[in-house]
Amino acid sequence: MKNVLLGILCLSFALTSSAQVGEKGKIYVDLNGGLGIYRTLATSTITSGGSSISSEVKDTAAATYVAIGAEYGIVDWLSAGLNLRSGSYLYEDNDQKQYKSNKVNTLEATSHLYFLNRDKFTFFGSIALGYTFFKNSYDNNIYSSDEKYNGLHTGLGLGFKWLFIKERVGLFFNYEYNTFNFDLKERMINGNQQDLSNLEYNLNVRGSELRLGLSVKI
């Protein structure tokens, strides 16, 4: 009987002492960088004299960014938190040496659902909902413009965490399909504020992103 009780106690201790990557009450900090490839659709409508003229332009784009996020373990299989990312779109060089710069900042609520949850490794699904601010500048020494956009952002992804340093620090990888919906809010041309009351300009950006970085469990 004593041996049976001892065996039960040892088994209970083993079960309670074995940790998982996903744990209720734990904090997760992820620092990572990534690359995105997107399809873009720009639509504009100009209204004048009671009539409207609409147009659309399709293109492709790439972007690089860095991100830092923190989540809290609600239950062993689910965590939620906030993520801040900052980056820029990549422009092609051209013969006229035109100067372009831009900045994209996103604040998003995030959640990880841990499908596979082991002591060092987890495979998860991710969801993100946020708001993005996009500023674009252009200058060829003759003509300059500054534009500000903002809009909603959504993302769905799959990834893994491998905590190989004392089951607390390790590798973070995530693939996400993201959608950004931007509306033009402000335009300056050669330093002069432009009237946008007759212009509706929308930029839709959709594409895939790969993230790689460091994950810490506290």
Side-chain angles (χ1 to χ4, degrees):
M1 186 64 178
K2 291 182 179 179
N3 291 334
V4 173
L5 291 175
L6 181 61
I8 293 174
L9 288 174
C10 291
L11 179 60
S12 299
F13 177 78
L15 292 174
T16 55
S17 62
S18 61
Q20 298 172 313
V21 174
E23 278 191 88
K24 178 181 178 180
K26 295 296 184 179
I27 296 174
Y28 305 87
V29 178
D30 298 322
L31 177 63
N32 54 87
L35 172 68
I37 304 295
Y38 314 92
R39 291 185 179 274
T40 66
L41 173 62
T43 59
S44 62
T45 300
I46 300 176
T47 303
S48 179
S51 61
S52 298
I53 300 176
S54 298
S55 64
E56 66 176 41
V57 177
K58 296 180 180 180
D59 204 347
T60 58
T64 58
Y65 59 89
V66 294
I68 183 170
E71 292 193 357
Y72 177 79
I74 301 173
V75 291
D76 288 351
W77 50 270
L78 180 68
S79 62
L82 293 174
N83 193 53
L84 176 63
R85 29 191 250 165
S86 181
S88 61
Y89 290 104
L90 305 178
Y91 289 118
E92 295 182 1
D93 292 332
N94 53 54
D95 296 334
Q96 296 179 347
K97 303 296 183 182
Q98 296 168 340
Y99 172 74
K100 297 179 180 180
S101 67
N102 65 86
K103 197 71 173 178
V104 184
N105 294 312
T106 301
L107 179 63
E108 57 190 7
T110 60
S111 181
H112 287 160
L113 175 63
Y114 302 98
F115 300 123
L116 177 66
N117 198 11
R118 298 291 186 261
D119 56 349
K120 295 183 180 180
F121 183 86
T122 182
F123 178 71
F124 62 82
S126 63
I127 185 171
L129 176 62
Y131 205 74
T132 300
F133 301 87
F134 173 39
K135 182 177 181 180
N136 186 57
S137 298
Y138 169 90
D139 191 349
N140 65 356
N141 297 321
I142 299 174
Y143 168 89
S144 66
S145 69
D146 295 281
E147 298 175 334
K148 293 182 179 180
Y149 303 78
N150 54 50
L152 291 176
H153 154 68
T154 59
L156 290 173
L158 294 171
F160 68 82
K161 293 181 182 181
W162 178 29
L163 305 183
F164 51 83
I165 302 177
K166 296 184 178 181
E167 300 180 7
R168 290 187 176 275
V169 181
L171 187 66
F172 171 93
F173 174 81
N174 196 23
Y175 162 82
E176 279 193 353
Y177 184 82
N178 285 273
T179 299
F180 301 87
N181 294 292
F182 297 114
D183 294 323
L184 178 62
K185 300 298 184 181
E186 181 181 310
R187 174 179 284 168
M188 301 279 291
I189 296 180
N190 294 331
N192 298 314
Q193 184 80 41
Q194 301 299 297
D195 181 10
L196 302 179
S197 58
N198 295 326
L199 173 64
E200 182 180 347
Y201 188 94
N202 308 106
L203 179 61
N204 181 267
V205 181
R206 297 172 181 267
S208 299
E209 297 178 355
L210 295 177
R211 301 185 187 186
L212 182 65
L214 184 69
S215 184
V216 179
K217 177 181 174 181
I218 303 173

